[in-house]
Amino acid sequence: MIGIIGFESLRVMQYLDKYTQILDDEQIPYEVIYWNRSGADHLDPRFLPYEKEINSYVPFLKKMKYFFGYAWFLYRTIHKRGYKNLIVLTTQTAVTLSPLLLTSYRYHYLYDYRDITFEKNRIFRSLVRLLFRQSTGVPISSLGFSKIIGNSDKYQMSHNTSDFEQRTISKTPSKVIRIVYWGMVRQVAFNKKICDLFGNDDRFTLAYHGEG
């Protein structure tokens, strides 16, 4: 059985359904471990939630005890369920599970890499690179990440897909350039600069979909 591990509520794990679709199509058994931060119910018995509601935007120190609680829940559940392989969603999950990934699950996990967190820190970046090297594969959302984590033949570009088909799509000419952000807004100072640059210019439309 495969364990799919995330660190968020299901509604912000945007690529989860791609993995479950593939596993369902191939009739491969799996379970999903996630943190039910928003209190939303999921009736599928294969989904194993950590039931602790929390405001994701309070200061980190106020959330720390809940993070440690979820980390303990992850280790305990993975040990109990005895998964053969893991699919690890986001760096937050991978770093939390790094003692397990680099030992018991070495070369038995897929590391889904979608954004940059603390990679400016040399120690953190070294750990991320080690997690990459000892994974079985690395789906990424931008080839630009190779500048941070190094070149690898394990990369698989996977971004903005509604299905699993590659095809050429004709572009519709437009005088307006659309800038769209999708997800949880974390880099507040950077996004304020974006708003200042493009917010009052009629040549651009700026849209945010998500929360924060």
Side-chain angles (χ1 to χ4, degrees), residues 23-209:
L23 295 174
D24 284 335
D25 290 345
E26 298 296 327
Q27 297 184 337
I28 298 173
Y30 65 88
E31 290 178 337
V32 178
I33 306 176
Y34 68 102
W35 185 348
N36 190 14
R37 300 189 187 194
S38 60
D41 292 329
H42 198 289
L43 301 180
D44 192 323
R46 297 174 296 181
F47 284 66
L48 311 178
Y50 176 64
E51 298 287 3
K52 184 66 68 173
E53 294 184 42
I54 185 176
N55 180 355
S56 295
Y57 297 99
V58 299
F60 177 73
L61 289 178
K62 291 186 177 181
K63 298 186 291 186
M64 187 176 294
K65 66 177 181 180
Y66 301 108
F67 278 80
F68 282 118
Y70 182 55
W72 173 246
F73 174 79
L74 285 180
Y75 277 89
R76 185 178 56 193
T77 305
I78 292 171
H79 176 74
K80 179 180 178 181
R81 307 300 289 179
Y83 302 116
K84 183 178 180 180
N85 298 287
L86 298 178
I87 298 173
V88 182
L89 307 179
T90 76
T91 295
Q92 189 177 32
T93 310
V95 169
T96 300
L97 293 176
S98 57
L100 195 62
L101 297 178
L102 299 176
T103 54
S104 302
Y105 283 93
R106 187 180 181 188
Y107 302 118
H108 285 277
Y109 64 92
L110 197 69
Y111 179 6
D112 192 290
Y113 192 76
R114 297 289 163 187
D115 54 35
I116 299 169
T117 51
F118 304 107
E119 277 80 346
K120 288 184 178 180
N121 180 284
R122 183 178 300 177
I123 297 175
F124 189 92
R125 186 170 64 250
S126 296
L127 176 57
V128 167
R129 288 178 174 177
L130 182 60
L131 287 164
F132 267 67
R133 289 196 299 270
Q134 297 195 9
S135 69
T136 56
V138 187
I140 60 174
S141 57
S142 172
L143 293 175
F145 290 146
S146 62
K147 296 179 181 179
I148 299 172
I149 51 185
N151 294 315
S152 173
D153 58 0
K154 293 183 178 181
Y155 295 155
Q156 176 63 51
M157 186 67 183
S158 175
H159 188 50
N160 289 343
T161 174
S162 57
D163 52 40
F164 300 109
E165 305 225 352
Q166 283 190 330
R167 56 188 180 277
T168 302
I169 299 176
S170 59
K171 296 182 179 180
T172 303
S174 174
K175 294 182 179 180
V176 177
I177 296 175
R178 294 181 291 273
I179 302 173
V180 182
Y181 184 99
W182 188 284
M184 298 177 69
V185 179
R186 299 185 183 276
Q187 298 167 309
V188 177
F190 171 78
N191 281 285
K192 283 183 177 179
K193 289 182 180 180
I194 296 296
C195 292
D196 289 339
L197 286 170
F198 301 108
N200 296 314
D201 192 326
D202 292 337
R203 296 172 298 172
F204 302 90
T205 61
L206 183 61
Y208 285 81
H209 298 278

Side-chain angles (χ1 to χ4, degrees), residues 2 144 173:
I2 291 177

